[in-house]
Amino acid sequence: MKTETKCLHAGYEPKNGEPRQIPIYQSTTFKYSTSDEMGKLFDLEASGYFYTRLQNPTNDAVAAKIAALEGGVAGMLTSSGQAANFFALFNICEAGSHIVASSSIYGGTFNLLGVTMKKMGIDCTFVDQNLPEEELAKAFKPNTRAVFGETITNPTVSVLDIEKFARLAHSHGVPLIVDNTFATPVNCQPIKWGADIVTHSTTKYMDGHAVGVGGAIVDSGNFDWMQYADKYPGLTTPDESYHGIVYAEKFGKLAYITKATSQLMRDLGSIQSPQNAFYLMNGLESLHLRMERHCKNALEIAKFLKSNDKVAWVDYPDLEGDKYNELAKKYLPNGSCGVLAFGLKGGREKSIKFMDSLKLASIATHVADAKTCLLHPASHTHRQMTEQQLLEAGIAPDLIRLSVGIENVDDLIDDLKQAFDKV
Ligand SMILES: *Cc1c(COP(=O)(O)O)cnc(C)c1O
């Protein structure tokens, strides 16, 4: 199946007489006829459902669709994008581990890695993702366990050179984890370019309608944990909490997701609710159509902004001459996403006045859904960062993040025009 068809048909195939749309298995628990049958599930000797804190059939169907879209072997849903990125890393890191991450990543993930995981004894070195390979190699340490980046960064819309990062990670014997939230698998499949694990905030384009917070993790099954067994004892040595099974031996290519489900979900319990998974399933069915329109509208608006003399600068990877246009042509040939960043002449004050004057586009702590919205990261999502950190993350104080929706683009441009008239 091609991507568009997978959006509709992958993950859930009803049998004769079964519901056409995935049912919401709104049940915390599942019934068994014998004690022995349920016991096998607790030993990971058989697969099946017993408690929704670990797994639920609605979630699994949706996760299977996302895994199919990304070209991975297995996937899982989490309660949020934050939980997805935390689980993706914590599944292979522990106190004493080290991560190399792009400094341009989403503010929430920056805090997760730089503050909260640091308290857990997991260190992170943030790097400028545009540095040449030799420079980036200096960030690696003997205890490095993962490399992390975003296909298109939130909010600076920088495009990651995935092949460069995959080469770096693999030459240091660690996997590359890519947060593919903004591009979605419709526009880029990082696994094709060498990423080992892909994460999502499904809250964004995948859901598409701003109704459910959620996340997803997909494993390519390509990273050979056994080859680097000393680095990943959690996958390559016995898990005493499951009678000494060794995930990499027992589950092969499914080891990573099986461990994340049966160990992290069991202990930390950040599963997506089946109701939200159902909304997500519906969102995924039209993802390919929406992404096309988001990109078309965003490119038109980027061009409009670029030609406006009140605008100081515009960053949008699909724009000819943008500093990421070459990378976008390679990794995102059908379009990047609906998000763009720009600043007004006159700086921060003017930018805020402009935002407050918009009528159709709403100020919202959200991004990447069907309705156009915008936000000023320095005053909102990234307000915890120091000026220096903002600078390192490439976030100018006047940066406005505009998330272009799927409205008629003329209406959006009219709204921008009337707001420009007021500044
Ligand atoms: C929003 C976002 C997250 C966090 O996801 P939540 O669903 O809000 O927890 C992580 N990464 C990126 C790129 C995001 O845009």
Side-chain angles (χ1 to χ4, degrees), residues 131-138 140 147 162-174:
L131 288 175
E133 239 161 300
E134 318 81 76
E135 284 300 310
L136 289 167
K138 293 178 186 160
F140 286 79
V147 177
I162 304 173
E163 281 192 316
K164 176 176 83 175
F165 269 75
R167 254 193 325 269
L168 263 166
H170 297 158
S171 65
H172 291 86
V174 303

Short mmCIF file of all heavy atoms in Angstrom, two decimals, residues 131-138 140 147 162-174:
data_model
loop_
_atom_site.label_atom_id
_atom_site.label_comp_id
_atom_site.label_asym_id
_atom_site.label_seq_id
_atom_site.Cartn_x
_atom_site.Cartn_y
_atom_site.Cartn_z
N LEU A 131 26.33 22.08 12.30
CA LEU A 131 27.78 21.95 12.30
C LEU A 131 28.19 20.75 11.43
O LEU A 131 27.43 19.80 11.28
CB LEU A 131 28.30 21.72 13.73
CG LEU A 131 28.26 22.92 14.68
CD1 LEU A 131 28.69 22.49 16.08
CD2 LEU A 131 29.15 24.06 14.17
N PRO A 132 29.40 20.82 10.88
CA PRO A 132 29.88 19.67 10.10
C PRO A 132 30.10 18.44 10.99
O PRO A 132 30.26 18.58 12.21
CB PRO A 132 31.21 20.16 9.50
CG PRO A 132 31.57 21.39 10.25
CD PRO A 132 30.34 21.95 10.85
N GLU A 133 30.10 17.30 10.34
CA GLU A 133 30.19 16.02 11.05
C GLU A 133 31.37 15.95 12.04
O GLU A 133 31.20 15.48 13.17
CB GLU A 133 30.33 14.90 10.01
CG GLU A 133 29.24 13.89 10.10
CD GLU A 133 29.10 13.05 8.84
OE1 GLU A 133 28.86 13.63 7.76
OE2 GLU A 133 29.24 11.82 8.94
N GLU A 134 32.54 16.44 11.62
CA GLU A 134 33.73 16.35 12.49
C GLU A 134 33.51 17.12 13.79
O GLU A 134 33.96 16.70 14.85
CB GLU A 134 34.99 16.91 11.82
CG GLU A 134 35.20 16.58 10.38
CD GLU A 134 34.37 17.49 9.45
OE1 GLU A 134 34.73 18.66 9.25
OE2 GLU A 134 33.33 16.98 8.95
N GLU A 135 32.82 18.26 13.67
CA GLU A 135 32.55 19.07 14.87
C GLU A 135 31.55 18.37 15.78
O GLU A 135 31.72 18.31 17.00
CB GLU A 135 31.99 20.44 14.47
CG GLU A 135 33.05 21.39 13.92
CD GLU A 135 34.14 21.68 14.94
OE1 GLU A 135 33.80 22.02 16.09
OE2 GLU A 135 35.33 21.53 14.59
N LEU A 136 30.50 17.82 15.16
CA LEU A 136 29.46 17.16 15.95
C LEU A 136 30.01 15.93 16.67
O LEU A 136 29.59 15.60 17.78
CB LEU A 136 28.30 16.76 15.03
CG LEU A 136 27.46 17.94 14.51
CD1 LEU A 136 26.54 17.50 13.39
CD2 LEU A 136 26.64 18.57 15.64
N ALA A 137 30.98 15.26 16.04
CA ALA A 137 31.56 14.04 16.63
C ALA A 137 32.17 14.32 18.00
O ALA A 137 32.22 13.44 18.86
CB ALA A 137 32.60 13.45 15.68
N LYS A 138 32.60 15.58 18.22
CA LYS A 138 33.24 15.94 19.50
C LYS A 138 32.28 15.88 20.68
O LYS A 138 32.68 15.86 21.83
CB LYS A 138 33.84 17.35 19.41
CG LYS A 138 35.00 17.45 18.45
CD LYS A 138 35.51 18.87 18.38
CE LYS A 138 36.59 19.00 17.29
NZ LYS A 138 36.76 20.40 16.88
N PHE A 140 30.30 13.44 21.37
CA PHE A 140 30.09 12.06 21.85
C PHE A 140 31.04 11.71 22.98
O PHE A 140 32.18 12.16 23.01
CB PHE A 140 30.27 11.08 20.68
CG PHE A 140 29.10 11.10 19.73
CD1 PHE A 140 28.97 12.11 18.79
CD2 PHE A 140 28.11 10.12 19.80
CE1 PHE A 140 27.88 12.15 17.93
CE2 PHE A 140 27.03 10.15 18.94
CZ PHE A 140 26.91 11.16 18.00
N VAL A 147 21.21 9.57 20.04
CA VAL A 147 21.26 10.87 19.39
C VAL A 147 19.82 11.26 19.09
O VAL A 147 19.02 10.42 18.67
CB VAL A 147 22.10 10.82 18.10
CG1 VAL A 147 22.10 12.17 17.39
CG2 VAL A 147 23.52 10.38 18.40
N ILE A 162 19.14 14.25 8.22
CA ILE A 162 18.95 12.96 8.89
C ILE A 162 20.09 11.99 8.56
O ILE A 162 20.60 11.30 9.46
CB ILE A 162 17.58 12.33 8.53
CG1 ILE A 162 16.44 13.30 8.88
CG2 ILE A 162 17.37 11.01 9.28
CD1 ILE A 162 15.07 12.84 8.40
N GLU A 163 20.51 11.95 7.30
CA GLU A 163 21.59 11.02 6.93
C GLU A 163 22.89 11.33 7.68
O GLU A 163 23.58 10.43 8.14
CB GLU A 163 21.83 11.06 5.42
CG GLU A 163 20.81 10.25 4.65
CD GLU A 163 21.21 10.04 3.21
OE1 GLU A 163 21.67 11.01 2.56
OE2 GLU A 163 21.05 8.90 2.70
N LYS A 164 23.18 12.62 7.82
CA LYS A 164 24.39 13.03 8.55
C LYS A 164 24.30 12.57 10.01
O LYS A 164 25.26 12.00 10.54
CB LYS A 164 24.54 14.56 8.48
CG LYS A 164 25.70 15.11 9.29
CD LYS A 164 25.86 16.63 9.11
CE LYS A 164 24.93 17.42 10.02
NZ LYS A 164 25.16 18.89 9.93
N PHE A 165 23.14 12.77 10.62
CA PHE A 165 22.97 12.38 12.03
C PHE A 165 22.95 10.86 12.19
O PHE A 165 23.45 10.34 13.19
CB PHE A 165 21.72 13.04 12.63
CG PHE A 165 22.04 14.37 13.26
CD1 PHE A 165 22.29 15.48 12.48
CD2 PHE A 165 22.15 14.49 14.63
CE1 PHE A 165 22.63 16.71 13.05
CE2 PHE A 165 22.49 15.70 15.23
CZ PHE A 165 22.73 16.81 14.44
N ALA A 166 22.40 10.15 11.22
CA ALA A 166 22.38 8.68 11.30
C ALA A 166 23.81 8.14 11.20
O ALA A 166 24.21 7.26 11.96
CB ALA A 166 21.51 8.11 10.19
N ARG A 167 24.59 8.72 10.29
CA ARG A 167 25.99 8.31 10.14
C ARG A 167 26.76 8.53 11.44
O ARG A 167 27.50 7.65 11.91
CB ARG A 167 26.66 9.13 9.03
CG ARG A 167 26.88 8.39 7.75
CD ARG A 167 27.81 9.11 6.78
NE ARG A 167 27.74 10.55 6.76
CZ ARG A 167 26.93 11.26 5.95
NH1 ARG A 167 26.11 10.65 5.11
NH2 ARG A 167 26.95 12.58 5.98
N LEU A 168 26.57 9.71 12.02
CA LEU A 168 27.25 10.05 13.27
C LEU A 168 26.87 9.08 14.39
O LEU A 168 27.74 8.56 15.10
CB LEU A 168 26.81 11.43 13.72
CG LEU A 168 27.68 12.60 13.36
CD1 LEU A 168 26.91 13.89 13.59
CD2 LEU A 168 28.96 12.58 14.19
N ALA A 169 25.56 8.86 14.54
CA ALA A 169 25.08 7.98 15.60
C ALA A 169 25.66 6.59 15.39
O ALA A 169 26.24 6.00 16.32
CB ALA A 169 23.56 7.94 15.60
N HIS A 170 25.54 6.07 14.18
CA HIS A 170 25.95 4.68 13.93
C HIS A 170 27.46 4.50 14.03
O HIS A 170 27.93 3.46 14.48
CB HIS A 170 25.41 4.21 12.58
CG HIS A 170 23.91 4.21 12.54
ND1 HIS A 170 23.18 4.26 11.38
CD2 HIS A 170 23.00 4.17 13.56
CE1 HIS A 170 21.88 4.26 11.69
NE2 HIS A 170 21.75 4.21 13.00
N SER A 171 28.23 5.53 13.65
CA SER A 171 29.69 5.37 13.76
C SER A 171 30.11 5.40 15.24
O SER A 171 31.22 5.01 15.58
CB SER A 171 30.42 6.44 12.95
OG SER A 171 30.16 7.71 13.49
N HIS A 172 29.21 5.85 16.12
CA HIS A 172 29.49 5.81 17.56
C HIS A 172 28.72 4.68 18.25
O HIS A 172 28.64 4.63 19.48
CB HIS A 172 29.16 7.15 18.22
CG HIS A 172 30.11 8.24 17.81
ND1 HIS A 172 29.93 8.99 16.67
CD2 HIS A 172 31.26 8.67 18.37
CE1 HIS A 172 30.93 9.85 16.56
NE2 HIS A 172 31.75 9.69 17.58
N GLY A 173 28.10 3.81 17.44
CA GLY A 173 27.42 2.63 18.00
C GLY A 173 26.19 2.93 18.81
O GLY A 173 25.88 2.23 19.78
N VAL A 174 25.45 3.99 18.43
CA VAL A 174 24.20 4.33 19.15
C VAL A 174 23.10 4.62 18.12
O VAL A 174 23.39 4.95 16.98
CB VAL A 174 24.39 5.54 20.11
CG1 VAL A 174 25.49 5.27 21.12
CG2 VAL A 174 24.65 6.83 19.35
#
